[in-house]
Amino acid sequence: MKTLGIETSCDETAIAIYDSKDGIIGESIHSQMEMHAEYGGVVPELASRDHCLKIVDVLEDALGNISLDSIDQIAYTSGPGLLGALLIGESFAQGLSTALNIPLIPINHLEGHLMSPMMEFPQISMPFICLLVSGGHSMIVDVKDKGQYEIIGQSQDDAVGEAFDKVAKLLDLPYPGGPHIERLALEGKSDAFDFPRPMKNSDNLNMSLSGLKTSVLYTVQKISNLTKEVKADIAASFQQAISDVLVAKIKKSIEITGRKEVIVAGGVAANKFLRGEFKKLEESHNITVYYPDMKYCGDNAAMIAFVGSMMKPSVENDRSSSARARWPLDELKE
Ligand code: KG4
Ligand code: ZN
């Protein structure tokens, strides 16, 4: 069975085809990152217009030699995300499913992220813990079973990726800042600055990152000559602080739940320093930590097609709109 997945929730126009026997057999992604970089963040209207402009080319590129007639169902991201952007993907998905007369399945974007490593590691079994860290979300989810997700911890303010992006801005690094901080941190000392680790030792699984970001701001304001060396030290010390918080929270969450498998997903999961810190936790706590393939850490359509392939369309050819900006994982209905 072939599921065509469509992702347009933010600044990536992506389409992929998942075959239940062969896995991902076609995919294409157009990133709008460069377009938004000059504004220092995603501009919603520009995002919607660019999805409109690129989606047909992305479809043709993803299909390659695969015939549209061979597609059995369409899965698309219906939330959470930028509403205007979601509506482009939804309209396109509805058009395709009407033309081909095949079922249409709305998918939760966050569910896509948390299932993404299962494409590569089918041995992962539920229940497991998922740390979902991206530009818009930072949460710890207890994945009890397919569709049964309990959010057991989350950021009270900035998302982890957002904190990386804001600190990058303070250091005059381009948007999105995460990869730039990671690269610069390689040249710095992670103990050069003693940044706070807010809520690291709190007795719950929630996090707070705005105090850490503000501490970096005050540090930057106090330094008159912000050389490349100093910036590298700040980047490394910040990355260490944030990793310490995330590792402490995952440690606590496995102690509380007794889970033995952890998935780290979302854009920040691409961070190799963080992966190294989790490696230590794997060894000390006898757990296994899985990550999506590097190309599936950020937004992509492969994860949407994959989750779609596990779903049974409830109402065939239902053309009502499911797009919604807010759609918490614990409000999913199977
Ligand atoms: O999942 P994603 O592509 O988009 C959503 O936010 O849904 O995540 C993007 C976020 C950005 O904040 C970006 O700075 C961060 O992920 N990011 C990273 C790295 N690569 C991307 N953060 C830290 N280290 C990285 N290597
Ligand atoms: Zn995402």
Side-chain angles (χ1 to χ4, degrees):
M1 190 184 66
K2 290 188 183 62
T3 305
L4 184 132
I6 301 175
E7 157 63 38
T8 63
S9 67
C10 190
D11 58 347
E12 257 88 36
T13 316
I15 294 187
I17 300 104
Y18 182 85
D19 182 287
S20 31
K21 273 208 318 288
D22 301 324
I24 295 296
I25 53 170
E27 62 186 314
S28 179
I29 182 161
H30 168 75
S31 172
Q32 306 175 351
M33 212 137 72
E34 265 176 42
M35 182 179 81
H36 297 293
E38 67 176 289
Y39 303 97
V42 178
V43 184
E45 185 182 338
L46 295 184
S48 305
R49 289 183 187 280
D50 203 57
H51 287 309
C52 270
L53 206 62
K54 302 286 166 33
I55 199 160
V56 174
D57 287 347
V58 170
L59 173 67
E60 283 176 355
D61 191 41
L63 284 170
N65 293 328
I66 305 164
S67 147
L68 253 187
D69 290 332
S70 71
I71 303 295
D72 298 292
Q73 55 181 16
I74 313 263
Y76 71 99
T77 301
S78 64
L82 301 170
L83 192 59
L86 290 165
L87 285 166
I88 307 300
E90 181 174 78
S91 306
F92 193 70
Q94 284 178 341
L96 272 181
S97 90
T98 304
L100 299 169
N101 195 24
I102 54 177
L104 187 61
I105 313 169
I107 302 290
N108 182 295
H109 177 84
L110 303 175
E111 188 175 26
H113 275 306
L114 66 84
M115 294 288 168
S116 56
M118 296 178 95
M119 281 187 272
E120 196 182 347
F121 303 105
Q123 72 269 31
I124 300 174
S125 58
M126 294 175 216
F128 59 78
I129 293 291
C130 177
L131 172 67
L132 181 47
V133 271
S134 69
H137 300 275
S138 294
M139 58 179 83
I140 302 170
V141 186
D142 186 19
V143 178
K144 297 170 199 279
D145 205 345
K146 173 85 183 66
Q148 280 183 41
Y149 311 124
E150 185 187 352
I151 298 167
I152 54 176
Q154 55 192 325
S155 173
Q156 311 285 289
D157 36 59
D158 292 348
V160 176
E162 191 182 358
F164 269 95
D165 295 339
K166 287 179 176 170
V167 166
K169 204 168 178 183
L170 295 175
L171 301 179
D172 297 320
L173 298 171
Y175 173 85
H180 296 281
I181 296 257
E182 181 180 6
R183 219 167 297 133
L184 186 59
L186 292 173
E187 300 163 33
K189 294 185 287 299
S190 61
D191 59 354
F193 294 90
D194 187 19
F195 292 129
R197 275 92 169 133
M199 294 182 77
K200 176 172 168 257
N201 299 315
S202 69
D203 56 8
N204 57 36
L205 299 170
N206 291 331
M207 303 163 252
S208 162
L209 299 169
S210 73
L212 169 57
K213 173 199 66 193
T214 308
S215 173
V216 176
L217 169 70
Y218 291 156
T219 302
V220 167
Q221 283 173 342
K222 266 191 261 156
I223 298 171
S224 52
N225 185 15
L226 208 57
T227 60
K228 180 149 189 242
E229 287 72 30
V230 177
K231 285 184 183 177
D233 283 346
I234 293 176
S237 303
F238 162 76
Q239 188 174 248
Q240 182 72 62
I242 227 163
S243 301
D244 286 354
V245 173
L246 296 177
V247 170
K249 293 296 168 180
I250 290 305
K251 182 164 167 265
K252 195 181 279 290
S253 66
I254 54 180
E255 284 165 1
I256 292 172
T257 60
R259 308 291 185 229
K260 287 280 170 210
E261 293 183 321
V262 174
I263 281 182
V264 183
V268 182
N271 188 290
K272 293 206 184 69
F273 180 81
L274 181 64
R275 290 185 179 208
E277 295 296 282
F278 275 121
K279 186 90 203 139
K280 298 179 199 162
L281 189 68
E282 271 190 308
E283 284 155 13
S284 64
H285 279 66
N286 194 26
I287 55 161
T288 312
V289 183
Y290 294 96
Y291 306 89
D293 186 294
M294 276 293 184
K295 67 178 171 179
Y296 297 142
C297 285
D299 292 345
N300 66 87
M303 65 185 191
I304 303 303
F306 176 62
V307 174
S309 75
M310 298 186 223
M311 309 280 229
K312 282 225 170 327
S314 49
V315 185
E316 285 197 17
N317 302 328
D318 174 7
R319 300 284 174 257
S320 60
S321 175
S322 309
R324 66 205 100 165
R326 189 184 161 278
W327 188 8
L329 265 178
D330 47 8
E331 289 178 16
L332 282 191
K333 280 195 208 77
E334 277 297 278

